[in-house]
Amino acid sequence: MADDNDLPPESKLTRTKEKWAREGRFLTGKISRPEDRRLPPGQHLTRDWPVLDLGVVPPVSRERWRLDVYGAIDNPVFWTFAEFSAQPQVHFTSDVHCVTTWSRYDNQWQGLATGELLAACQPRDDARFVVLHSYDGYTTNLALEDFAAEDALLAHSWSGEPLSDEHGGPVRLVVPHLYFWKSAKWLQAIEFLTEDAPGYWEVRGYHNRGDPWAEQRYSGD
């Protein structure tokens, strides 16, 4: 299971993004979603895939990778990469929206749909939230209904190739309808909870949910 005491070190990026949260950086106040719009308010389109993390890229090979799923569930799961890959696989194409204002269209993912994971681990009736634990010590929280979205998945490949280390390989979460900080890289464990437990950025001034179309960048938005 993930070690909650092994937090990532503070960095220049951490301090900068906390400052953005205090100042309300990038907010436009335009929170409606016209049917003909694909780009959320305050975002700009990029063809690149910028790399943002806490400054630590954990060296986790597919051979060493493990996923622990535990908490308010009836069937705890402990998978190697081979066992994870033996589960039903899906392909999804979705857009990515980062809280730092870039968006990227038509990302092609392959992996395990979160709905399949839920079927395997069987959350209890009182489970309401999940916390994602990463190999670099990062955490982020999600309401169970957001984690269970139809196009959410635990992705191991992007554009037909294995996820690179810098983008969260061997496996990362992808929840396209929320800002991308909610899609934890280097996924190590998934903890099901009956009560919410804000994660790394959420306790540093970022919004608890992170809906791009409501421009939920920071707490209080």
Side-chain angles (χ1 to χ4, degrees):
M1 294 185 183
D3 184 353
D4 291 337
N5 294 319
D6 189 19
L7 293 176
E10 292 289 327
S11 65
K12 181 178 180 180
L13 175 64
T14 305
R15 293 188 292 272
T16 298
K17 293 184 76 173
E18 286 182 298
K19 183 172 182 286
W20 291 350
R22 290 193 300 270
E23 296 174 349
R25 186 80 176 273
F26 311 128
L27 291 174
T28 69
K30 300 175 182 178
I31 61 173
S32 61
R33 183 177 186 177
E35 291 300 319
D36 61 345
R37 286 193 59 189
R38 188 174 177 183
L39 194 66
Q43 298 293 110
H44 69 275
L45 194 60
T46 181
R47 293 180 180 271
D48 299 324
W49 188 0
V51 176
L52 291 173
D53 52 48
L54 300 180
V56 177
V57 178
V60 183
S61 66
R62 289 187 170 193
E63 291 72 26
R64 291 182 53 242
W65 181 82
R66 299 291 186 275
L67 178 66
D68 296 345
V69 184
Y70 57 91
I73 56 178
D74 289 334
N75 184 30
V77 169
F78 305 98
W79 281 333
T80 64
F81 188 82
E83 291 167 331
F84 168 78
S85 300
Q87 308 306 310
Q89 300 291 293
V90 296
H91 293 81
F92 286 143
T93 299
S94 59
D95 299 342
V96 166
H97 307 298
C98 180
V99 73
T100 59
T101 77
W102 61 264
S103 293
R104 192 182 191 283
Y105 290 164
D106 297 325
N107 298 274
Q108 299 175 33
W109 309 102
Q110 181 181 358
L112 176 71
T114 57
E116 293 287 352
L117 177 68
L118 295 174
C121 71
Q122 294 293 301
R124 298 194 324 236
D125 289 343
D126 59 348
R128 295 289 182 273
F129 303 93
V130 297
V131 171
L132 293 308
H133 298 266
S134 300
Y135 272 92
D136 65 342
Y138 179 79
T139 60
T140 191
N141 59 313
L142 291 167
L144 183 56
E145 56 265 30
D146 285 322
F147 180 78
E150 284 189 0
D151 56 355
L153 77 160
L154 312 183
H156 59 69
S157 296
W158 177 80
S159 291
E161 298 291 337
L163 270 176
S164 65
D165 292 345
E166 66 182 2
H167 287 305
V171 177
R172 70 172 300 152
L173 181 67
V174 176
V175 181
H177 69 281
L178 299 179
Y179 283 124
F180 213 40
W181 91 79
K182 291 290 188 176
S183 295
K185 294 181 176 183
W186 308 301
L187 195 58
Q188 179 182 24
I190 302 173
E191 182 180 9
F192 287 76
L193 300 174
T194 59
E195 296 184 3
D196 200 7
Y200 185 87
W201 285 122
E202 292 80 13
V203 301
R204 288 169 170 79
Y206 279 68
H207 198 278
N208 200 50
R209 181 161 186 252
D211 179 352
W213 290 98
E215 209 172 6
Q216 292 175 338
R217 300 182 191 274
Y218 310 119
S219 58
D221 295 344

